[in-house]
Amino acid sequence: MDIERENIRNLMMAALDGECSKSECRQLDEALAANAELRHEWGELQKVKEVTNTMNVSKAPDQVWQEYWGSVYAQLERGVAWILISLGTIVLISWGVWDVIQELSADANVPSLVKYALSALAIGVVVLAVSVIREKLFVRKSDPYKDIER
């Protein structure tokens, strides 16, 4: 009986959306005629459909839109700024590390593999450091527990 009732509810939804075939509409009509509870539910669904069809969405005031676009612009602006700061920091620190590595590479006693590994390690540390610092600053701003004292 539950499966049949679920099928009738699906037919109700299809009928409300105008997607019911003639045979399905006949099946729905028969089920509604035989069950007062389903008729009541069908009536409630029709009321909801009528209300949602006649609803008007109110337009937000201009001030709300100005605040919204201002915040979107500010977020975009700050995101671009963080990207540029991160890239600049990575490039400058990497350049400094590169100078140190060049000094080491002038030393003939240090193997090439060690020089390349040292370069990769230094650049990786710089990128990771900038990433961690940026993440810590971001999390500190939005941490919901930052004002809680233990």
Side-chain angles (χ1 to χ4, degrees):
M1 185 71 174
D2 289 334
I3 294 173
E4 185 178 325
R5 191 175 192 97
E6 188 64 32
N7 287 337
I8 298 300
R9 286 194 172 120
N10 288 337
L11 286 176
M12 286 180 188
M13 294 299 135
L16 282 174
D17 294 336
E19 298 174 356
C20 205
S21 68
K22 289 183 181 181
S23 65
E24 290 173 330
C25 285
R26 253 185 271 115
Q27 184 183 359
L28 177 61
D29 289 339
E30 290 170 5
L32 293 175
N35 189 323
E37 187 179 330
L38 286 175
R39 278 194 306 274
H40 176 72
E41 187 175 340
W42 175 244
E44 293 297 315
L45 287 173
Q46 286 177 319
K47 288 177 189 176
V48 169
K49 176 75 173 182
E50 181 181 335
V51 168
T52 56
N53 282 341
T54 58
M55 286 175 48
N56 291 327
V57 178
S58 61
K59 187 177 177 183
D62 288 337
Q63 181 182 0
V64 172
W65 285 110
Q66 288 172 354
E67 289 174 10
Y68 169 76
W69 287 114
S71 68
V72 169
Y73 175 74
Q75 289 175 1
L76 178 65
E77 183 179 54
R78 288 184 185 126
V80 170
W82 272 114
I83 289 170
L84 293 174
I85 289 169
S86 298
L87 287 175
T89 304
I90 289 169
V91 168
L92 289 176
I93 294 174
S94 297
W95 180 53
V97 170
W98 183 254
D99 276 350
V100 170
I101 292 171
Q102 282 182 331
E103 292 288 328
L104 284 175
S105 65
D107 187 357
N109 295 332
V110 180
S112 295
L113 181 62
V114 172
K115 293 175 187 177
Y116 292 128
L118 185 59
S119 300
L121 177 66
I123 291 171
V125 166
V126 168
V127 171
L128 182 62
V130 169
S131 175
V132 167
I133 290 168
R134 192 178 78 69
E135 180 181 342
K136 292 294 181 186
L137 289 172
F138 177 76
V139 168
R140 187 180 64 174
K141 265 192 319 189
S142 59
D143 184 10
Y145 302 109
K146 69 181 175 186
D147 295 329
I148 295 177
E149 292 186 32
R150 295 176 191 192

